[in-house]
Amino acid sequence: MTANKFEIVPEIQRTVALPPKASINAALGANHDIRTGLDELVDNSIDAGSSMVAIILHTRAKRIVQLSIHDDGVGMSKDKLEDVLRLGGHEAHSEKNIGRYGMGLKEGSFSNADETMIVSRVRGQHMVGYQLSKTSFDAGLLSENSCTQVWNTRPDSVKSSSGTSIVWTKLPNVYAGTDDQEAGRFLNRVSEGIRLHLAIRYHRFIEDGRLKLDLYSQVDDMLPISAGPIRGVNPFGYRRSARKQYPLRLTVNGDPEAPGITAHLWTNRSKTDEFNLEGKDELGHQGFYFYDADRLITQGGWSSFRSPHKQWKLARFEVDDPRVIENYLTISPQKGSVRLHESFYSFVKQLRNPDDTSIDFGRVLEDAESVIRASNKKSGKPDPLADTGRGIARSIQEVLWASERTKSADPINVAWGEVGDGGLLELDHSEHLIIINEDFRAHFTHGHVGLNDAPVLKTLLYLLFNHLLSSGRWTGKSASNADLWIAMLNAALEEELDETEKVRKRVGSAFKGESAGF
């Protein structure tokens, strides 16, 4: 049989190597900002068995001049470090291993630094280090002295005998202007942005104690200062669900052992970080939350599954089953988005609740809509209040935020202190402050003092004096109302103290009688 005239059979004379040009590093460095670039490095630290990761913003005159990240993982030998620094070099992915493509360290670093130093140490071995440059595929082997200098920048929290330190220098994406105020604002935005972003991405690791993340600032050659460990922010960390049967597990055909997802319904008008995540969205960050080896990949969104809808803004779907991750979608190399396979759509159609197979994915969206409708119907729009300030527990603040009825005014603060006339309290209108007499603190707290003690008393006083303290002017009428209300409270306190003393005497007399009988 003769070959088809359109068929070409190639004859290979020799093979020509076509390595990529160094300019590809610029393309690799176009996929991350500082926050997501740090994600890649934290991923590597987790895969290396780290329990502590410290990030340091090195500043000079309020300008970020260097950024470093340090961990207490197992470290890397010279051979392993060289392999990791090659494009595509990485360990095989597993359910416990976040790394997938061997691109993260390079992409995250090249996006944020023209030069990167990596120093690593395996327990019992000498440290080894390299410098990467965005303009070359070559890596510069660091001297022992340079490795030691990098290692000595590690804060006390990661003073271990093994681990890895990465230093970004020559940062192209930071403020370099002459306005000191703008430099300070930029520094604060970056610092808080990093803190919140990592708190969300790694909330599972933080909450169960597997990982401690700490953000430091270091001014010139001073010691780094920590703002405290990063607290996890759980996208499903509501105090109560909008419907008592939620969260709901949905699995293929309602089989408890089959792959599935978990459906959540938030309450309406929440103001918490857990609901607003990295920024308030009128659509509520609805949609899928994909996890890979417990690391959050997406913060909501439908990944082209469907278009967002305002009536579904309270619906969130937790997708962390490894069988779903491996079989129905592809995670992007930057691990910040996913591409759904065609099979994912049929997978969702088969989802049912094992306890009630009439409940499917569509039913969850219907429930989300009904919660919105019910919330809007019973929203009588209470009078707006000034926000709560110092001295009032966060849980009380969250209730106020959920109402979405705060007004533009300085927060009302409550504090224990000296009261001139010896009464229960006094007001400081200029400071928007309620001062409760320290002498009565033990009476209201039963000896259990703290920043947010006596929450009922403080909340009632906050509500009573909210309008007076948040008004723009302190008039004669305001002063008269305040004097009357405080006088009534002082009288009530005297009655309460008298009753308390009577009870104490009765109990004391009864105790003496029992002792005499004995």
Side-chain angles (χ1 to χ4, degrees), residues 187-400:
L187 176 60
N188 289 335
R189 285 198 304 272
V190 170
S191 177
E192 289 309 306
I194 290 172
R195 175 176 293 277
L196 183 56
H197 179 81
L198 296 180
I200 298 167
R201 292 290 184 185
Y202 300 98
H203 74 90
R204 288 189 172 183
F205 293 90
I206 297 170
E207 290 167 344
D208 64 17
R210 280 179 287 170
L211 181 67
K212 183 180 179 184
L213 276 168
D214 212 342
L215 182 61
Y216 290 79
S217 62
Q218 183 172 9
V219 180
D220 296 327
D221 294 327
M222 298 175 65
L223 292 175
I225 299 173
S226 170
I230 294 176
R231 178 186 67 87
V233 175
N234 186 347
F236 311 105
Y238 39 71
R239 291 183 175 274
R240 62 180 180 85
S241 177
R243 290 283 178 88
K244 63 181 180 180
Q245 70 267 38
Y246 285 84
L248 274 177
R249 185 68 179 165
L250 302 177
T251 61
V252 173
N253 297 323
D255 179 357
E257 303 300 321
I261 66 178
T262 303
H264 298 260
L265 284 188
W266 271 82
T267 53
N268 199 14
R269 301 187 180 92
S270 177
K271 297 281 189 175
T272 66
D273 286 341
E274 286 76 7
F275 184 75
N276 290 321
L277 301 178
E278 293 185 71
K280 186 174 181 180
D281 189 325
E282 66 175 6
L283 297 177
H285 300 287
Q286 62 187 270
F288 298 119
Y289 289 71
F290 294 100
Y291 289 81
D292 187 22
D294 280 342
R295 195 267 219 189
L296 183 61
I297 302 298
T298 61
Q299 297 181 32
W302 294 106
S303 301
S304 300
F305 181 79
R306 60 175 61 214
S307 298
H309 193 294
K310 194 169 185 177
Q311 297 303 314
W312 300 334
K313 71 177 184 177
L314 306 179
R316 296 183 177 183
F317 297 90
E318 188 176 8
V319 188
D320 59 358
D321 189 323
R323 296 170 293 181
V324 177
I325 303 299
E326 292 299 327
N327 296 321
Y328 299 118
L329 54 100
T330 299
I331 297 173
S332 70
Q334 293 76 35
K335 298 191 289 292
S337 62
V338 303
R339 179 175 59 82
L340 301 179
H341 300 172
E342 186 176 347
S343 56
F344 184 84
Y345 296 83
S346 58
F347 161 74
V348 171
K349 288 181 179 179
Q350 299 176 72
L351 292 176
R352 301 288 186 277
N353 176 245
D355 297 324
D356 183 352
T357 54
S358 68
I359 300 176
D360 59 6
F361 188 87
R363 171 69 176 276
V364 174
L365 296 182
E366 291 174 4
D367 286 349
E369 291 186 40
S370 66
V371 169
I372 292 289
R373 287 196 301 269
S375 175
N376 291 337
K377 283 182 180 179
K378 65 182 181 182
S379 177
K381 293 195 174 181
D383 292 334
L385 297 170
D387 203 354
T388 57
R390 300 187 308 275
I392 297 180
R394 183 177 176 84
S395 60
I396 299 165
Q397 185 181 57
E398 289 175 356
V399 173
L400 175 63

Side-chain angles (χ1 to χ4, degrees), residues 150-208:
V150 171
W151 197 260
N152 287 342
T153 64
R154 294 162 67 88
D156 290 338
S157 58
V158 285
K159 290 289 187 185
S160 61
S161 58
S162 66
T164 299
S165 292
I166 298 174
V167 181
W168 290 345
T169 58
K170 298 184 179 178
L171 312 178
N173 302 321
V174 297
Y175 180 77
T178 59
D179 188 329
D180 288 346
Q181 289 187 334
E182 183 58 35
R185 286 192 288 267
F186 180 85
L187 176 60
N188 289 335
R189 285 198 304 272
V190 170
S191 177
E192 289 309 306
I194 290 172
R195 175 176 293 277
L196 183 56
H197 179 81
L198 296 180
I200 298 167
R201 292 290 184 185
Y202 300 98
H203 74 90
R204 288 189 172 183
F205 293 90
I206 297 170
E207 290 167 344
D208 64 17

Side-chain angles (χ1 to χ4, degrees), residues 500-517:
T500 302
E501 181 64 19
K502 290 177 183 178
V503 171
R504 188 187 67 79
K505 288 180 178 179
R506 286 199 299 269
V507 172
S509 297
F511 179 76
K512 288 179 180 179
E514 290 179 2
S515 300

